[in-house]
Amino acid sequence: MKVSYQWLSEYVDLSGITPHDLAEKLTRSGIEVDAVESRNAGVSNVVIGYVKERSKHPDADRLNVCIVDVGQEQDLQIVCGAPNVAQGQKVVVALVGAHLPGDLKIKRSKLRGVESQGMICSAKELGLNDKLLAKDQQEGIMVLPEDAEVGMDAVSYLGMDDYVLELGLTPNRSDCLSMLGVAHEVAAIYGKEVLFPAIEIEENGEANPVQVRIDAKEECHQYHGRHFTDAKITSSPQWMKNRLMAAGMRPINNVVDVTNYVLLEYGQPLHAFDASQVTDRSIIVRLAQDGEEIVTLDDQIRKLDAQTLLITDPQKGLAIAGVMGGANSEINDDTKEIILEAAWFTPQTVRSTSRKLGMRTEGCVRWEKGVDPLRVKEAGERAAALIQQLSGAKVSRGVASTVVSEGKPAVVSITLDKINQHLGTSLNASEVSPIFDRLQFPYVVEGNTWTVTVPTRRGDITLPEDLVEEVARLYGYDKIPTSLPTGVTTQGQLTADQQLRRTIRRHLIGAGLNEAISYALVSPERVEDVAGLHEGKTNPVALLMPMSEEHSVLRTSLLPSLLSTVAYNKNRQNHDVSIFELGRVFLNREAVLNELPEERVYVGGAMTGQWMPQNWMGAKQPVDFYQIKGVVESLLHALGIQNVTYKAASDLAGMHPGRTAEVWSKENRLGFLGQVHPGTEKAYDLSETYVFQLDIAKLGEAASDVGHYNQLPKFPAVTRDLALVVDRDVSAGTLQATIREAAGDLLESLTLFDVYTGERIAQDKKSMAFSLVFRHPERTLQDEEIQQVTTAVIEALKTATGAELRM
């Protein structure tokens, strides 16, 4: 909202208050002023002149020699090159010694041998934004109306001695989207009165022929129509143009300018129709028919739906309610008869229509944030008075009004104790009551309780806490004492879930993986390329309005996103990739989505290329199954998850059937790891790639945050190595479990250090060598004890797996 300082001073006495002081006060009270700008871009010594004579330059076809009266004893001779300069015009003249924007100083000079004693100026040369000027003032020199006084300071006449305060309003302060709303705020801050504009209408026409019918009663609560005849459509007076331009609006004609002027003054959007184009002078407010069309003022054909509110006559649409008028009833130079609309439409209706049609106007902004329902008719009467004043129109008797409902002021109660408790102050009643008086909030006091009737212009105040904020603003935030919090305080800390995620991230980054953040949206073709961790069938959730087909459904697994990221890197010559992502997946069991999908948090990783690049110290080391398994094992160890087993998995979608394992902790399936299926790798154009995916919730259940520490051993350990020949389908995990169970508490550690297949080993067999470390915590072990345990282990392995010692 741009606020003219001079215009504002008509409603509130600003004597002795500079624009910058006012901006400081407004900001301190909660209405932030983003900028204070002078409308004068550096213009001085510029007056209004009258072109008495114009003749062609004797030596230049495009130059004219003008004799200009500027209110001085002698007329000035000025050479002007503008094609639109003519005798009898009122123009802006920069005198000798004048300054113009761009550090331009006007001097006495000769142009092609003819003396020039000044300069006749265009709008651009004065630093005015020509896009905000009327069309007749945009080309050539600036031609002023006939009522401009010769010799008058042009800076004052054009309103360039004004300042504009640009307010950065929050959505709740829609009351300050009007000059009167800002006036109420300024008056409350300084303890002054608000001077309302006088409304004087002389009804000198016949009875108002306008008829109003509201069919869409939920969308339109009131509609008022004024009728005018014998209107004369002309340019607006300069004072009105100045104020509209200061607010960033371009003047059009006196009637349209009045509707915009009152929009800025009251915050009430209005619209004027050419009554001769309104059938039977009948206004109907209804919802559009699905597919109905209307041509708006910008000459665009708008196709409407059944939720769009229309202003119509019995035969056709006239305007899209609250958004834009129709071209078929536009005010033009030939208009004589006018219908002025002042209505109240629901904010939701206007907001919905505005967004669907992609139309955003000053009126829409105010409708969406809320318009004072009790000032609708008053704003219409103010506009009617101005139209009569500026166009000489006759005003028909009476107002055609249909009112479904009117807004009611909110009534809110607040106690002195609550105010002081919230603000940490010790205010008394004699300090609070004047604040409500300054705000012009009527109230009743009973003891230390105020029952406040909040005017409808302040729709943001509905709760006692809102009144506390008003007291704080006007009392002064800078006066509120600083105090420390009281009561029981607790030390801030991460939740168990936050700590778990942080540990996972730190560990994987420390293991050499980079964190990736990808879209939770994937293409329907990729959503189930690789299995997730859910059981049973899920139906991907599709977006109603996706950004693209590639991002149209919610993912059920992290791995398609990670594989796409790996492919993206590979296509850019980055072949060695190790990444992980901690993110959400979305599971839906319903054929038709009726409830929100289940959200789970997974951690997934992908590795491809070289884990250890080749250098002078040794051969390169490509990523393989054991690298990805080592990353997962180290992560589980860091989380304190014990009793982890790996089970071969041959039926997981998108995974290699012989190089994939599920990860279990007791009875919990934590996730899986392994190589991506060659077919899936080909679909993504990848080389050999390994992935893992773990369920964060399951990791949290299995994790332990209690560290285990053992005393340094005092007694020596004994090591025994066992080389076992077993069938090729016997896993190392099975052998390790059997050894641990048979060896009992004396077994301190167990390590697989060799796997061999080849000569002197049958084709269906393999050799696996384990190193067993035994230790007793309180004494030295005897050879006999070690032999007994070793024999028991060998017998248990033979019984359970058919293992034999390799000789």
Side-chain angles (χ1 to χ4, degrees):
M1 175 71 181
K2 294 183 176 181
V3 176
S4 162
Y5 176 83
Q6 289 186 354
W7 190 1
L8 182 64
S9 65
E10 288 194 1
Y11 309 119
V12 183
D13 181 11
L14 298 179
S15 302
I17 304 172
T18 68
H20 291 87
D21 291 340
L22 177 59
E24 177 68 17
K25 280 283 190 179
L26 282 169
T27 301
R28 285 182 176 272
S29 68
I31 304 295
E32 184 177 359
V33 179
D34 291 336
V36 180
E37 298 179 354
S38 172
R39 292 199 66 212
N40 190 338
V43 177
S44 65
N45 204 17
V46 178
V47 299
I48 297 174
Y50 174 73
V51 181
K52 299 175 69 174
E53 299 178 17
R54 191 207 77 167
S55 59
K56 284 292 183 180
H57 192 288
D59 295 323
D61 293 339
R62 296 186 179 182
L63 296 180
N64 300 289
V65 180
C66 303
I67 304 301
V68 184
D69 177 9
V70 292
Q72 298 178 355
E73 292 183 0
Q74 294 183 346
D75 296 337
L76 303 181
Q77 177 177 283
I78 300 176
V79 178
C80 178
N84 65 324
V85 66
Q87 182 178 344
Q89 290 176 337
K90 297 286 182 69
V91 294
V92 178
V93 179
L95 304 176
V96 174
H99 286 83
L100 296 178
D103 199 23
L104 177 63
K105 185 176 181 179
I106 304 303
K107 300 178 181 178
R108 188 186 299 267
S109 61
K110 285 188 176 182
L111 296 176
R112 294 287 184 93
V114 177
E115 184 180 32
S116 182
Q117 299 170 317
M119 175 180 175
I120 300 177
C121 301
S122 68
K124 283 186 177 180
E125 290 165 336
L126 294 172
L128 296 176
N129 185 352
D130 59 347
K131 293 182 180 179
L132 297 179
L133 293 171
K135 291 183 179 180
D136 59 350
Q137 294 181 328
Q138 291 180 355
E139 300 293 336
I141 61 169
M142 191 173 188
V143 181
L144 303 178
E146 294 181 0
D147 61 359
E149 182 182 345
V150 174
M152 179 181 179
D153 181 12
V155 170
S156 176
Y157 179 79
L158 296 174
M160 295 169 61
D161 53 350
D162 192 9
Y163 284 83
V164 176
L165 284 70
E166 187 168 351
L167 308 185
L169 298 175
T170 51
N172 62 311
R173 291 308 303 270
S174 61
D175 59 299
C176 288
L177 286 171
S178 67
M179 294 299 299
L180 285 175
V182 176
H184 276 288
E185 183 68 18
V186 173
I189 293 171
Y190 286 99
K192 296 178 179 288
E193 294 294 325
V194 178
L195 305 175
F196 294 94
I199 300 176
E200 298 178 359
I201 301 176
E202 182 182 349
E203 296 183 334
N204 50 11
E206 299 179 354
N208 189 343
V210 177
Q211 298 178 356
V212 176
R213 187 179 86 219
I214 300 177
D215 292 344
K217 293 181 170 56
E218 293 185 1
E219 291 78 15
C220 177
H221 292 183
Q222 53 180 301
Y223 195 102
H224 309 280
R226 268 288 188 182
H227 182 258
F228 306 82
T229 58
D230 300 334
K232 184 178 180 181
I233 307 302
T234 61
S235 178
S236 298
Q238 192 63 43
W239 63 266
M240 179 172 282
K241 291 180 180 179
N242 293 342
R243 292 179 177 180
L244 291 175
M245 288 190 291
M249 288 187 172
R250 181 172 67 86
I252 299 174
N253 59 53
N254 51 356
V255 173
V256 175
D257 290 351
V258 164
T259 61
N260 287 332
Y261 184 86
V262 176
L263 165 73
L264 295 170
E265 187 176 46
Y266 277 81
Q268 170 65 47
L270 305 169
H271 189 70
F273 300 98
D274 186 332
S276 65
Q277 304 300 317
V278 180
T279 304
D280 299 333
R281 310 304 185 265
S282 179
I283 297 292
I284 303 170
V285 185
R286 63 170 175 82
L287 292 174
Q289 298 176 2
D290 202 15
E292 187 172 355
E293 294 182 347
I294 184 172
V295 180
T296 49
L297 289 173
D298 55 0
D299 294 325
Q300 298 293 315
I301 299 175
R302 309 288 181 176
K303 190 172 183 179
L304 313 177
D305 59 21
Q307 283 74 47
T308 303
L309 188 64
L310 268 182
I311 310 299
T312 72
D313 63 18
Q315 297 181 354
K316 61 186 178 298
L318 301 174
I320 303 174
V323 179
M324 187 175 285
N328 56 10
S329 57
E330 179 183 6
I331 300 295
N332 55 56
D333 293 344
D334 298 326
T335 299
K336 302 295 182 184
E337 185 183 357
I338 300 168
I339 295 175
L340 177 67
E341 164 195 287
W344 196 92
F345 310 119
T346 59
Q348 299 89 335
T349 300
V350 177
R351 183 187 302 115
S352 175
T353 300
S354 172
R355 289 184 177 180
K356 280 186 290 190
L357 298 179
M359 304 170 69
R360 185 79 169 173
T361 63
E362 290 288 337
C364 291
V365 171
R366 286 158 177 81
W367 281 122
E368 290 176 5
K369 291 179 170 57
V371 170
D372 185 353
L374 296 187
R375 277 191 175 170
V376 176
K377 189 174 182 181
E378 180 184 338
E381 294 298 274
R382 167 64 168 163
L386 288 172
I387 290 175
Q388 184 177 46
Q389 174 187 338
L390 301 184
S391 71
K394 293 181 180 179
V395 182
S396 301
R397 296 193 308 275
V399 181
S401 298
T402 298
V403 178
V404 177
S405 63
E406 288 185 335
K408 295 181 180 180
V411 178
V412 184
S413 295
I414 188 71
T415 64
L416 184 62
D417 291 340
K418 189 176 185 68
I419 293 173
N420 285 325
Q421 179 184 0
H422 277 71
L423 301 182
T425 56
S426 55
L427 299 176
N428 53 48
S430 62
E431 293 175 292
V432 174
S433 291
I435 292 176
F436 293 140
D437 292 331
R438 288 157 55 190
L439 288 166
Q440 298 185 28
F441 288 3
Y443 61 87
V444 176
V445 182
E446 295 181 2
N448 283 332
T449 301
W450 287 266
T451 301
V452 181
T453 301
V454 182
T456 50
R457 61 183 168 83
R458 290 298 303 274
D460 59 308
I461 300 177
T462 57
L463 303 172
E465 288 74 14
D466 298 328
L467 290 178
V468 173
E469 181 183 359
E470 294 301 299
V471 172
R473 289 193 314 109
L474 296 186
Y475 175 69
Y477 290 124
D478 54 337
K479 295 181 182 178
I480 298 176
T482 302
S483 59
L484 293 172
T486 59
V488 178
T489 59
T490 57
Q491 181 180 0
Q493 62 181 7
L494 298 176
T495 65
D497 184 60
Q498 291 170 331
Q499 184 61 55
L500 176 66
R501 297 188 192 191
R502 178 172 293 187
T503 300
I504 292 172
R505 281 193 173 96
R506 287 180 173 176
H507 183 84
L508 293 177
I509 292 171
L513 280 71
N514 295 307
E515 183 172 9
I517 300 176
S518 59
Y519 283 114
L521 301 167
V522 295
S523 67
E525 293 77 16
R526 297 297 188 199
V527 67
E528 293 183 351
D529 279 350
V530 185
L533 298 179
H534 51 274
E535 299 79 19
K537 181 175 177 55
T538 62
N539 298 306
V541 179
L543 270 63
L544 293 177
M545 300 177 65
M547 296 182 293
S548 66
E549 185 66 21
E550 293 183 354
H551 300 96
S552 59
V553 298
L554 291 170
R555 64 189 177 189
T556 58
S557 170
L558 295 181
L559 297 184
S561 300
L562 288 170
L563 293 179
S564 296
T565 303
V566 173
Y568 181 90
N569 279 268
K570 178 178 178 292
N571 293 337
R572 286 153 182 80
Q573 306 304 313
N574 183 19
H575 298 282
D576 302 332
V577 181
S578 296
I579 58 174
F580 77 94
E581 179 172 6
L582 200 158
R584 295 180 182 275
V585 299
F586 305 84
L587 308 180
N588 168 44
R589 311 289 183 182
E590 300 176 306
V592 178
L593 187 65
N594 295 311
E595 297 181 356
L596 291 176
E598 178 189 357
E599 295 186 30
R600 294 186 186 177
V601 182
Y602 291 169
V603 59
M607 301 172 67
T608 188
Q610 303 298 318
W611 174 252
M612 194 73 69
Q614 185 175 7
N615 56 45
W616 65 272
M617 296 182 65
K620 58 186 179 182
Q621 185 177 349
V623 173
D624 59 17
F625 176 86
Y626 298 103
Q627 294 289 354
I628 199 81
K629 182 172 178 286
V631 169
V632 172
E633 280 188 329
S634 65
L635 173 61
L636 299 181
H637 179 75
L639 297 177
I641 300 177
Q642 301 177 349
N643 301 318
V644 177
T645 57
Y646 298 87
K647 300 179 181 179
S650 59
D651 57 351
L652 290 180
M655 298 298 295
H656 194 298
R659 299 180 183 176
T660 302
E662 293 182 337
V663 185
W664 291 77
S665 174
K666 298 181 179 179
E667 301 301 322
N668 281 335
R669 179 176 178 262
L670 305 180
F672 63 86
L673 58 90
Q675 183 185 343
V676 178
H677 194 284
T680 306
E681 291 173 344
K682 184 176 180 181
Y684 283 88
D685 192 22
L686 297 176
S687 55
E688 198 169 287
T689 302
Y690 294 85
V691 297
F692 71 86
Q693 185 165 226
L694 304 171
D695 190 323
I696 294 294
K698 297 290 183 64
L699 294 180
E701 294 174 6
S704 172
D705 57 357
V706 179
H708 298 277
Y709 301 91
N710 296 320
Q711 185 179 5
L712 291 175
K714 296 180 181 180
F715 300 94
V718 178
T719 302
R720 291 289 186 270
D721 293 340
L722 295 179
L724 305 172
V725 178
V726 296
D727 294 337
R728 289 205 175 193
D729 60 353
V730 176
S731 67
T734 302
L735 296 175
Q736 287 176 328
T738 304
I739 293 172
R740 291 185 186 280
E741 183 178 356
D745 295 338
L746 291 181
L747 182 64
E748 182 178 83
S749 65
L750 174 63
T751 305
L752 172 66
F753 67 87
D754 181 59
V755 177
Y756 175 76
T757 57
E759 295 181 5
R760 291 183 290 180
I761 298 291
Q763 290 186 353
D764 60 344
K765 302 287 184 178
K766 62 182 176 181
S767 170
M768 305 182 74
F770 293 90
S771 178
L772 289 71
V773 178
F774 299 96
R775 191 194 306 268
H776 196 288
E778 298 179 355
R779 60 183 174 82
T780 301
L781 290 173
Q782 302 297 318
D783 289 341
E784 294 79 6
E785 293 178 280
I786 301 301
Q787 187 60 42
Q788 290 178 2
V789 174
T790 304
T791 302
V793 167
I794 294 172
E795 290 298 324
L797 288 170
K798 185 175 182 179
T799 302
T801 66
E804 296 180 356
L805 284 177
R806 180 181 175 191
M807 305 305 292

